Amino acid sequence: MNNFYTQENILKNETPAEPEDSVSGIVDSIIYQNEENGYTVCEIEDSAGEPVTVVGIIPYLSEGDKITAWGTWTNHPVYGRQFKAETYEKTLPAEEGDILRYLAGGNIKGIGPKTAQKLVEQFGTDTFSVIENHPEWLSEIPGITKKKAAAITESFKSMSGARAVMMFCSDYFTPQTAMKIYQKWGGAAVDRIRNNPYRLCEDFRGISFSRADRIAMGMGLAADSDDRLMHGLVYVLRQEAARSGHTCIPDSELLRCAVELLFAGDTSYTEKVAECIEKAVGKLSLIPLDVSGTRYIFDPLMYRAETYIAKKLRQIHDRCPKMNARDSARMIESSEAKSGITYAVMQKKALTQAMADGVMILTGGPGTGKTTIIKGLISIFESLDYEVALAAPTGRAAKRMSEATSHEAKTIHRLLEMDFSDENGSKFLRDENNTLDADVVIIDEASMIDVQLMEALLKAVKNGARLILIGDSDQLPSVGAGNVLGDLIESGAFPVIRLTDIFRQSEQSLIITNAHRINAGELPDTSRTDADFFFLRRESEEGISATVIDLVQNRLPRSYGADIVPKIQVLTPSRKGLSGTDILNAGLQEALNPRAPGKAEKKSRDVIFRVGDRVMQTKNNYEIEWETDDGKTGMGVYNGDIGIVTEIDREDNLVTVRFDERICVLDAAQLDEVDHAYAITVHKSQGSEYPVVILPLYSCAPMLLSRNLLYTAVTRASKMVILVGKPTVLQQMIDNNRHTIRCTMLKHFLME
């Protein structure tokens, strides 16, 4: 039980090659240890009683550990002779004196020098065995209660688990990655990896399928085994969903991609992979669908989502009680009198349709009166004593909806009461067995809803309720898989009201005028210098990025005051290039939040975070706990949420971020899902609104230089838009009206 570090070699049935030199001894002191990457400088006492300085990546090392390290001797110009460890093994000390030193060093929570002395006097060389296996014996020691004994055992097992995971992963990952695996999966990590190494590429950013695949094959999985091929097929489908938004792909494309992934394109394996596809289809591990002579293959999760959406929407539409035209007209007149507003023709049609049908879709660009209709719907339905629920896919969109309507709006996740537990993972408490109380559910920014979120929402809508979806169908589709709003509109299965008229108060804004010009395939008007829409011509990428930084740091604050800086959001088409998010974020951080004496900072991956940085969550994480200033608590931070770093605790390796009203304390593993947000991609900005948007226009991947991406970026701004870049790129984006085609079947299921 003393050696925690032999599992890897037993599992792989091999012994690591050992460097020529080695040292062994008890760790006498830890001189330096970096908790994030495991780099350690320690002093050990070797078998001859001589002190030896050992340096290297040795995470979770504690005073009193017995260590054997293999490596080379070096001479440091300042610190003298040192042993540089390349590989190592650790065991718990076996002699009573060494055990006492280990326990007295505070390595196990609840045990200090006095308690350590008592334990060793009582149990001698069996002390570790007693701590691990017999916590009830510990409570026989004066001063150790049953509760404290249980806590001591738990702390010891946790430390043992951490060491086992680190050693298990040492041949495959850097210590930093191994630490992240332990931090996320805990002591169960070894069993999880053994049971299914492919979970690594699903759950950890930066671990590729090929890395997980090498681990699986190192464990003896045959290259052409059905198990490996099946994991590869599912990975291809999920990658296509994550990368391109497809809910299914043609079987020929699945076959080609799988052969490329699993066998580097060696076509001699094509028949074997094709056989595996048929086996998976036969077992319903993959779902086939024949449409117009082509067979498409689904991941069952996506098939279930799209078929359920189609079925439930029909139910909602058919079962909702209808209101006749005479009553609708009377309710609209009453709403007009109450609000002092005279609705336009299409607005009245939208209100009438919402009262007449169970499902109604409202779409239109900025300034066309969508918010006015939402307020009218709230007024009408509340006058009928209907309970109305307002929601949007993101926190910022929900906040805007609340401010515009003076009624509470929630994120869809919060509306459905997202819950997380270690045993069951994340789930929504509101579902078909615990439906929402709302009689009317109004969803804004519906273009952002992917198929899995839509499935979850519809499960929670009760029989007899109405669903009203509002969104701009000309914006980019959802980040997640599917084309929900677009498919619903194109199917013709439900009434769609499209607003096109710009109202008088909106005509004064060049942002709105130009958004509609862009959507119509026309160049925006950039001739006025007294308006809210500007174009600064720059031909070089260096000039574009320099101008963007200068605008944020100097020019705009000089003209409008320093208060404008937090209101500015730089949006870019891509992460790459001199004007992509990666380089712009580094430049903007240096300009707006440079390193300063006393300002805490922390490095994660290759990114330096400082107090005051604007940051963005890049992945849904339902495990993150948050608290508000008024004491409310909850869990969950979502992809695209933007916040500010407010505190960095270097001692405990924690970073505090305020995401709007939610205050979150992130550990090193959670920080891996956070990026700077001085500049973000247009895709990540969906559902948000910013007072000032700066958009660099530079040459990048042609698929990103599209009309709907430009339109989406411009419509994120409420007060000012500044385009910076090449006129040729602007013209290219206007001309490129090719929408990204997603392979989805929701439209097909709705039209069946």
Side-chain angles (χ1 to χ4, degrees):
M1 66 133 325
N2 284 346
N3 194 333
F4 292 99
Y5 299 96
T6 58
Q7 299 98 318
E8 180 61 42
N9 299 327
I10 292 171
L11 178 69
K12 297 179 68 178
N13 194 27
E14 60 185 43
T15 303
E18 297 179 1
E20 185 175 344
D21 294 324
S22 65
V23 295
S24 296
I26 300 294
V27 177
D28 191 51
S29 63
I30 304 293
I31 300 169
Y32 172 79
Q33 191 166 55
N34 185 313
E35 291 186 9
E36 185 172 340
N37 61 26
Y39 181 79
T40 302
V41 180
C42 67
E43 189 171 272
I44 70 171
E45 184 181 302
D46 67 14
S47 56
E50 295 296 322
V52 176
T53 300
V54 179
V55 301
I57 305 296
I58 316 174
Y60 296 108
L61 188 67
S62 302
E63 292 181 7
D65 274 331
K66 184 177 181 180
I67 183 173
T68 300
W70 291 268
T72 55
W73 289 98
T74 62
N75 279 299
H76 192 279
V78 176
Y79 302 111
R81 194 166 187 254
Q82 297 179 336
F83 189 82
K84 185 177 181 181
E86 296 175 16
T87 61
Y88 64 92
E89 286 183 357
K90 286 188 290 184
T91 58
L92 288 173
E95 302 297 326
E96 286 190 12
D98 296 332
I99 294 172
L100 177 60
R101 182 198 293 184
Y102 179 89
L103 294 177
N107 294 306
I108 299 175
K109 290 181 181 178
I111 299 180
K114 291 183 179 179
T115 303
Q117 184 72 43
K118 294 177 183 177
L119 289 171
V120 174
E121 287 176 356
Q122 179 83 358
F123 303 116
T125 56
D126 293 327
T127 299
F128 288 132
S129 178
V130 171
I131 291 174
E132 183 173 19
N133 301 305
H134 300 287
E136 69 278 8
W137 295 2
L138 300 180
S139 59
E140 298 173 4
I141 302 294
I144 301 181
T145 63
K146 289 184 178 180
K147 183 177 180 181
K148 184 176 180 180
I152 289 171
T153 296
E154 183 179 350
S155 174
F156 181 79
K157 287 182 176 180
S158 174
M159 182 172 291
S160 301
R163 292 170 170 171
V165 172
M166 295 302 298
M167 197 59 195
F168 183 89
C169 294
S170 62
D171 281 356
Y172 300 120
F173 304 111
T174 64
Q176 297 95 314
T177 300
M179 290 173 75
K180 287 170 185 172
I181 292 171
Y182 173 71
Q183 288 164 348
K184 186 175 181 71
W185 283 352
V190 173
D191 288 336
R192 287 195 181 192
I193 296 171
R194 282 175 172 166
N195 291 337
N196 182 6
Y198 297 99
R199 282 283 305 276
L200 289 163
C201 60
E202 297 174 10
D203 287 9
F204 294 94
R205 177 180 179 178
I207 299 181
S208 64
F209 176 86
S210 60
R211 177 72 64 85
D213 194 38
R214 284 198 298 272
I215 295 173
M217 294 179 71
M219 292 178 177
L221 192 65
D224 61 351
S225 69
D226 285 351
D227 196 23
R228 177 174 183 258
L229 301 191
M230 187 61 215
H231 281 297
L233 292 168
V234 171
Y235 180 79
V236 168
L237 289 171
R238 292 184 178 174
Q239 273 293 98
E240 289 299 310
R243 184 172 52 201
S244 304
H246 302 315
T247 58
C248 59
I249 58 176
D251 58 358
S252 59
E253 185 66 9
L254 174 60
L255 179 61
R256 184 190 66 79
C257 291
V259 171
E260 182 65 37
L261 174 73
L262 296 166
F263 300 106
D266 185 345
T267 55
S268 65
Y269 289 94
T270 299
E271 186 176 347
K272 178 68 177 176
V273 178
E275 290 174 0
C276 187
I277 292 176
E278 296 311 316
K279 288 179 184 177
V281 166
K283 296 177 181 178
L284 297 182
S285 299
L286 300 177
I287 308 296
L289 179 70
D290 291 307
V291 178
S292 302
T294 300
R295 188 172 76 154
Y296 296 87
I297 304 294
F298 286 83
D299 179 332
L301 291 173
M302 295 297 170
Y303 181 82
R304 183 193 68 193
E306 289 200 316
T307 53
Y308 181 86
I309 291 168
K311 176 184 175 182
K312 183 62 180 283
L313 283 172
R314 288 195 202 100
Q315 289 180 358
I316 294 172
H317 191 254
D318 294 341
R319 296 178 183 179
C320 178
K322 309 296 189 285
M323 190 177 296
N324 63 47
R326 183 180 300 173
D327 288 340
S328 296
R330 181 173 51 81
M331 297 302 300
I332 291 171
E333 288 176 5
S334 174
S335 177
E336 286 180 320
K338 183 177 178 181
S339 63
I341 294 174
T342 300
Y343 296 117
V345 173
M346 290 303 293
Q347 289 179 322
K348 286 183 179 180
K349 185 175 181 180
L351 294 169
T352 302
Q353 203 74 61
M355 288 183 273
D357 292 284
V359 176
M360 193 272 280
I361 300 165
L362 177 67
T363 185
T368 55
K370 296 191 296 294
T371 300
T372 299
I373 293 173
I374 297 174
K375 293 164 75 173
L377 290 170
I378 295 170
S379 172
I380 290 169
F381 286 124
E382 286 189 342
S383 71
L384 296 171
D385 289 330
Y386 286 4
E387 184 169 335
V388 180
L390 307 182
T394 68
R396 290 189 170 234
K399 187 175 181 180
R400 279 173 40 222
M401 196 180 187
S402 296
E403 292 169 348
T405 62
S406 300
H407 283 71
E408 182 187 18
K410 300 177 180 179
T411 63
I412 296 175
H413 288 83
R414 187 165 157 235
L415 179 72
L416 301 182
E417 299 178 21
M418 168 61 73
D419 184 53
F420 181 87
S421 66
D422 291 335
E423 297 80 19
N424 302 316
S426 59
K427 66 175 183 176
F428 292 113
L429 298 181
R430 294 289 186 170
D431 55 21
E432 57 267 78
N433 299 315
N434 182 28
T435 56
L436 297 166
D437 298 326
D439 304 295
V440 181
V441 179
I442 303 176
I443 304 295
D444 198 10
E445 296 286 355
S447 64
M448 296 183 63
I449 303 177
D450 60 50
V451 290
Q452 290 186 290
L453 185 57
M454 189 66 173
E455 177 191 21
L457 172 64
L458 293 178
K459 283 182 177 180
V461 177
K462 70 180 182 181
N463 287 330
R466 280 177 167 78
L467 177 66
I468 299 164
L469 299 173
I470 301 169
D472 189 341
S473 60
D474 294 314
Q475 288 184 23
L476 294 169
S478 59
V479 174
N483 185 28
V484 173
L485 185 64
D487 284 347
L488 293 183
I489 292 172
E490 289 182 20
S491 73
F494 310 105
V496 178
I497 306 298
R498 188 180 294 274
L499 304 177
T500 56
D501 293 336
I502 303 175
F503 287 90
R504 187 175 305 154
Q505 64 269 26
S506 299
E507 290 176 348
Q508 300 171 5
S509 169
L510 261 188
I511 295 175
I512 292 175
T513 301
N514 281 337
H516 287 270
R517 287 176 66 92
I518 290 167
N519 208 25
E522 302 172 12
L523 282 169
D525 179 4
T526 58
S527 60
R528 289 172 53 185
T529 58
D530 61 341
D532 54 8
F533 195 105
F534 306 94
F535 178 56
L536 303 180
R537 178 172 179 160
R538 299 290 185 274
E539 292 295 340
S540 70
E541 282 210 33
E542 293 84 354
I544 294 170
S545 59
T547 300
V548 168
I549 294 171
D550 187 44
L551 281 165
V552 180
Q553 183 183 21
N554 301 310
R555 292 172 64 172
L556 290 175
R558 241 186 345 253
S559 299
Y560 300 99
D563 291 346
I564 198 172
V565 174
K567 302 173 184 177
I568 300 170
Q569 184 60 62
V570 178
L571 304 180
T572 78
S574 172
R575 293 184 63 92
K576 299 177 181 178
L578 293 180
S579 296
T581 57
D582 291 345
I583 291 179
L584 271 180
N585 269 319
L588 287 165
Q589 183 197 37
E590 183 59 32
L592 301 175
N593 191 29
R595 178 174 295 163
K599 182 183 289 183
E601 61 179 47
K602 172 177 172 52
K603 187 174 183 180
S604 176
R605 315 184 307 277
D606 293 324
V607 181
I608 294 175
F609 294 98
R610 297 190 185 112
V611 170
D613 274 343
R614 184 189 299 183
V615 296
M616 178 178 63
Q617 180 75 16
T618 61
K619 187 177 180 182
N620 288 345
N621 190 325
Y622 308 115
E623 304 176 42
I624 295 177
E625 298 178 0
W626 53 260
E627 183 175 358
T628 62
D629 290 324
D630 57 3
K632 293 180 182 176
T633 61
M635 300 187 75
V637 180
Y638 308 111
N639 186 5
D641 285 352
I642 289 180
I644 300 293
V645 176
T646 59
E647 184 180 350
I648 294 176
D649 184 339
R650 285 177 287 199
E651 183 175 337
D652 290 332
N653 211 23
L654 301 172
V655 175
T656 302
V657 179
R658 175 184 282 272
F659 293 101
D660 294 324
E661 74 280 0
R662 295 163 298 163
I663 302 168
C664 308
V665 180
L666 309 180
D667 61 27
Q670 293 165 337
L671 192 63
D672 195 37
E673 299 172 351
V674 173
D675 279 336
H676 284 135
Y678 297 103
I680 65 175
T681 62
V682 177
H683 284 84
K684 290 289 189 182
S685 74
Q686 289 173 264
S688 297
E689 184 178 84
Y690 314 98
V692 180
V693 165
I694 300 175
L695 178 68
L697 301 178
Y698 61 100
S699 298
C700 60
M703 62 182 292
L704 295 173
L705 299 180
S706 66
R707 186 187 300 176
N708 67 337
L709 186 140
L710 177 61
Y711 174 78
T712 301
V714 168
T715 55
R716 298 308 90 208
S718 61
K719 300 293 184 184
M720 185 186 303
V721 170
I722 305 175
L723 308 182
V724 182
K726 303 177 182 180
T728 53
V729 172
L730 177 59
Q731 185 68 61
Q732 182 181 351
M733 296 180 83
I734 296 291
D735 293 341
N736 181 10
N737 196 31
R738 290 174 296 179
H739 290 257
T740 302
I741 297 174
R742 293 187 167 189
C743 192
T744 66
M745 288 295 156
L746 178 57
K747 175 183 173 182
H748 169 82
F749 294 134
L750 286 167
M751 295 177 68
E752 276 187 318

